[in-house]
Amino acid sequence: TLNLVKSACIDSCYFISHVYTPVCEENICYPIELEIRWDLLGYFKDYETPVKHPLTKFDHQLLTDRDQIKMRAILSNKYSVLRNMKVDDLIDKSITIKSAVKVDGVTGATRPSLKEEVVQGAIYSTYTLWHLVNGAAADSIRKRTESWLDKHLLTDFLRSGNPQYHYFALEKLPDDQKEPLKDDIIRLVRYGEGNVPFFAFDRLPQAIWSDPVYQTRLISMTGSLDFRLKNAILNQLLKVSLSAVSLDSLVSNLYRLTDQQLLKALTIIERNVVTLASDAVLRLKSYQNNNDNEEVAKRISRILSLWNNRSH
């Protein structure tokens, strides 16, 4: 049975289930009893065992603190090799390990190539728990959350601290919600983990590129963004007209760009030269005087000449 534990904070909500199950036929390991917690998309969060029924391994030895850390790491990996394996595939039955507490109790050794995939001495427990955590229960949780999906839940997911929620919300985001949630999407372009910034960038509504406020905001972020995202922002700015404030921000951030990006930025400035403010022109001159790239110096000279002749 899966029970939802609610909280005002989306990151503090979780599903929980009490589990009691045998893990090996030989009865040389105790049954497992514990509570498992998942997030709202079915990703493993943690487990907790009763004080009187801790997790054990072969011959009823308690799992060490290091074993517990490894167990949690394994359960957190949805793409473990355990997914497509049978438990017997993990065991080398040509090597027999005898029980010290059960007469005639024997088991096989862990295959050397799979030692990092299981907790040593707890092959059956690791395998059983992984499939409990990442199997039907996890699928059921995700489907349940998808059935509740609305604007409020999408917003909560975008604002959460969980990258998996970010991926999910961006994937499910309807086109008519991109505009209302654009500030949350931009925040993920700047602060998202892993590939989240790229997913977020692709979900930005097209209208923001013509908005001076958002032009300036996105340009000011370039110093903290991945090389590819800087390119993506410049490519979008090539397609629109920039405000004086946006151009000023772009000139101020030229030093953050690679040579190729710099030339692209100068193309943007040249296309908007009539909007260029005098303060930005002074910054361009200063940048020209402190840059050794001949092509950059030539391009800036052309921009300055166009700016001086703009009224004619």
Side-chain angles (χ1 to χ4, degrees), residues 53-69:
H53 299 283
L55 285 179
T56 59
K57 47 189 176 181
F58 184 70
D59 269 358
H60 310 321
Q61 297 178 51
L62 296 179
L63 264 65
T64 64
D65 290 344
R66 182 175 294 182
D67 290 335
Q68 300 275 11
I69 291 170

Side-chain angles (χ1 to χ4, degrees), residues 166-180:
H166 300 156
Y167 283 118
F168 178 81
L170 292 168
E171 178 190 357
K172 300 293 182 181
L173 191 64
D175 288 341
D176 63 358
Q177 291 301 315
K178 291 179 181 178
E179 177 65 26

